[in-house]
Structures are given as C-alpha cells and as structure tokens.
Amino acid sequence: MGGNPVQAFCDRTPFECWANTYFVGNSYGELCSNVAESFNAWIRKERYLPITAMVDQIRSKVMMLMSDRREISVGWTSILCPELEKKLEEKISAVHSERSQSVDLSRSSCTCNQWKIQGFPCERAVCCIQSIGESVYDYIDPYFTSDYFHRSYSYAIEPIPNFDMPRVISEVATIEPPDTRKGPGMPRVNRIPNTGSSSKRERLCSRCRTYVHHNRSTCAT
C-alpha cells in the first residue's frame, strides 16, 4: 500500500470536521483548544483518580461552579454580561484609523471578518448601527446577554444517591489499572501550540538591542 495515510484520512473527512475555515457553527472567538486545556488544568488532581472517583469529583466541582456562577450573576442588571458591556463601550469609543471596510448589517458581517469570528459587532459595525439610529444590542448574539448567563447556570446537578450501594466492596470486583510501559525519552510537559493560540510576547535582547523572541544567551548576533 502506498500513499500518505494522513493525507488519505483528511481527503475522506469533511472539511468542517477539522478545518476552522469550514466550521459551520459559531465559534464566538474561540479558534483554539484553550477551553479544553483550561478544563484539563481545572481537573489536574481529579484526572489521576480511578474513573468512578474522578467522575464523582468532577461532578462535585461542577456543582460548586454552577452555584458560584449563580451567586455572581444575581446582581447583574445590564443587558450584556459586565465584561461584554465593557467591550461594547470600548468599541463605541474606538477611533478608526485603519483602511476602509465594508459592513453589511443585514448579514451581520464586515470585510474584516471579526464579526463572524467573534459573534460580536466590530467597531465599524457599531458605528454603522449607531448612524442609522438603531440599538447595537439588537445586532449582538443573545449568547452574550446576562439572561443567557442566568439561564445557563440556573439548573441544578443532583447528587448521586448512595443509600442502596453496598457497604462492603469485594476484592474480586476491584478493577486494577492495565499494565503500561513508560515510553522512551522525557515525557512532554508543554502542550503543542496551535494556530489560534496567542504568540509569545517579544522582549528586548540585551545583546542585539532589538525586540525579539530570544534572549542574550540564545542570540546569534
């Protein structure tokens, strides 16, 4: 058999399953795996537990999270979540100094593509909406509203009843983890950055006196 198996797999898999460009849903500005990585870090201790204990611990953490989010949002009176209200204010007061863009309010789009990516009108779109005397809130996705936030965390996760569970667990029923061998080389610690991740901030190299991604010890000058 010849050919590249990875290329063959990509060729027979629909683009929307692996390419951000063809994603059919709304990404709301999340173009990388940071959400998954944040959750993975959030359960850093729990993920090493046996599967049943891990699921129960995650359930408890989610219950506490939802309770905290409900308490936080009780006093919200704004249409949008506070952070989004601040973001909207910044866009309203923004000064445009870049090249011209074309805005289509009927399609909720701008040639800068930020409206489609973020799900939130860009500065140019906000300016156009205000110029025709309409409310900017009518053009913002309901996902960003305080009402959606309230409803997202309004549900309760019921605890798992344990009154009918056996008090003594037989050693025969204990499932041991499978035997595994440690792979060669040092285990990876840092994750592989993807296209949507933010790049590292440049810093001043004391040797070449320019803002770059290296330092004095790795400078080739």
Side-chain angles (χ1 to χ4, degrees):
M1 296 179 65
N4 188 331
V6 176
Q7 180 66 44
F9 174 79
C10 293
D11 289 341
R12 66 174 180 267
T13 305
F15 289 156
E16 59 269 18
C17 294
W18 59 272
N20 288 331
T21 307
Y22 296 92
F23 182 64
V24 295
N26 295 324
S27 58
Y28 299 106
E30 296 295 339
L31 302 179
C32 56
S33 61
N34 286 347
V35 174
E37 293 295 338
S38 297
F39 180 79
N40 195 32
W42 189 53
I43 60 169
R44 185 185 304 275
K45 296 180 179 179
E46 290 76 14
R47 64 185 180 181
Y48 294 107
L49 296 173
I51 184 64
T52 53
M54 180 187 70
V55 172
D56 188 60
Q57 288 296 313
I58 293 177
R59 175 188 60 82
S60 299
K61 293 195 71 168
V62 173
M63 289 175 62
M64 294 298 298
L65 173 67
M66 296 187 68
S67 176
D68 292 341
R69 295 289 173 86
R70 283 195 296 269
E71 292 295 327
I72 290 174
S73 61
V74 166
W76 291 0
T77 57
S78 57
I79 297 177
L80 304 179
C81 296
E83 291 187 6
L84 276 303
E85 285 286 354
K86 182 179 179 180
K87 181 178 180 179
L88 178 59
E89 293 176 1
E90 292 174 352
K91 290 183 178 296
I92 292 176
S93 59
V95 178
H96 309 293
S97 58
E98 57 186 67
R99 66 185 181 87
S100 299
Q101 302 284 356
S102 177
V103 177
D104 188 341
L105 297 182
S106 63
R107 296 187 177 184
S108 300
S109 66
C110 177
T111 51
C112 71
N113 291 328
Q114 291 303 309
W115 196 349
K116 287 294 184 182
I117 294 175
Q118 302 289 341
F120 200 91
C122 60
E123 294 88 342
R124 290 156 295 279
V126 170
C127 183
C128 292
I129 296 170
Q130 290 184 315
S131 67
I132 61 176
E134 295 191 14
S135 174
V136 180
Y137 295 112
D138 295 337
Y139 291 85
I140 298 178
D141 196 296
Y143 172 83
F144 296 111
T145 61
S146 297
D147 180 60
Y148 261 57
F149 190 97
H150 293 315
R151 286 189 285 168
S152 297
Y153 297 101
S154 62
Y155 303 96
I157 298 179
E158 300 295 337
I160 300 175
N162 58 5
F163 62 89
D164 57 345
M165 293 183 179
R167 295 181 178 274
V168 180
I169 301 177
S170 173
E171 294 183 359
V172 179
T174 302
I175 301 176
E176 299 292 340
D179 294 331
T180 58
R181 291 190 306 171
K182 184 178 180 181
M186 294 291 293
R188 178 180 292 277
V189 177
N190 298 324
R191 69 185 180 96
I192 301 174
N194 52 36
T195 307
S197 301
S198 58
S199 59
K200 295 182 179 179
R201 187 176 61 181
E202 294 182 345
R203 52 190 174 186
L204 179 63
C205 175
S206 59
R207 173 171 293 181
C208 62
R209 306 304 298 176
T210 57
Y211 284 92
V212 287
H213 293 293
H214 63 252
N215 54 28
R216 181 182 180 86
S217 60
T218 58
C219 182
T221 303

